[in-house]
Structure formats: C-alpha cells, structure tokens
Amino acid sequence: MLAAARLGFARLGVAALGLAAVGLAGPAHADFRLCNNTAGRVGVAVGYKDGDGWATEGWWNLPARTCETLLRGTLVARYYYIYAVDYDRGGEWSGQAYMCTRDKEFTIRGTEDCLARGYDRTGFFEVDTGEQQTWTVQLTDSNEQTSQRPAGSTPGSPTPFMTVPPAPGRPSAPPQFPGTSR
C-alpha cells in the first residue's frame, strides 16, 4: 500500500521500477534488486512471503550510488516489503507493514510476536511488483529527479515508475547497524 510508504522522512524518497526481462540479449535474469541513489550509505532489510510463510532478511549495506541484488531468481511473490536506514545523514524509508528485525545480520521466519521472540518490530513499506519476474527498487533523496532512468536501463524499454513521496518527520539519530554486508 503506497500510503504506508508515505511514512518515510522529509528528505528521503523512494522510486521503484519494474524491469521486464523482455527484449534483453542473453539469458534472462530474474532478481529483486535495490539501488541506493543517495549520497549516503544505507542499510536495507527485505520482507516477503514464500512457500514457507513470512520471512525478513537483512542487512545489506549499500554505499552511495550503488545497486545490489537482494533476492536472486524469479520472484516468488507479488508484494515485497522494504525497510532502509540512512547511516550517514539519518532518516529512513519505512511504512506500516510491521515485521521482525534485529541489529545484526538476520533471517527471521514469521512476523508475529517480534518483541516476545527477542526481535525488534519494524515498519516496512510495501512494493507491488505487479507479478513481474524482475524488480528494482530505487532509494533516492527527495530533491533528486525520480523520473530519471536507473543505470543500466535502456531508453524506450518498458519501465513503469512508482514514486513514493516522503512525509515529514525525522529521528534524532539513526540506528547504527554493523558494517557487515550480506
């Protein structure tokens, strides 16, 4: 739900776009990717529902202006959930889909009773992939043009954009997560 994603912070925005594998030369790659198009380092967690139920995974630590594949292979769900934090400047991309996380690298099964199970309860924003096989989410500063094509996309290729404007608010200090990368 886009309304849930509007709980991000004033200087941060999210642009998500689906990249269809149609028309690409060579073998098709089906992945869920995230690009950090901001000037700061970000930590990212992802949530999804697969054949075994709900799962959350984190942390991927992305330097400024880089992309990373979070989940490899054909997407198993239509909806994915993202939570990200800007390590350098503070702020986060969040929403109202609550899932379990922790401060260190994790894979957590289930979204119920996070606190009772010793985890944090964190608000993720929803990404509707429209049942595409491949999807890329782009985290941007809200003052940047979100209509620009991402690195590696081809002009004229089918790239629908979903822009989620940020909402007011900002924590006094961002949570600090370990510098390990998944």
Side-chain angles (χ1 to χ4, degrees), residues 1-82:
M1 172 189 284
L2 289 178
R6 293 176 199 261
L7 296 177
F9 287 92
R11 60 185 211 146
L12 303 177
V14 175
L17 58 130
L19 300 174
V22 178
L24 298 177
H29 295 282
D31 297 319
F32 188 84
R33 294 177 44 85
L34 187 130
C35 294
N36 173 15
N37 289 335
T38 73
R41 296 173 304 128
V42 298
V44 178
V46 63
Y48 56 91
K49 188 173 185 179
D50 62 14
D52 296 326
W54 286 101
T56 51
E57 297 183 42
W59 295 98
W60 286 267
N61 295 298
L62 280 72
R65 313 273 182 235
T66 61
C67 296
E68 174 112 11
T69 299
L70 304 185
L71 303 170
R72 296 194 183 281
T74 302
L75 302 182
V76 297
R78 176 176 176 170
Y79 298 98
Y80 289 82
Y81 298 84
I82 299 290

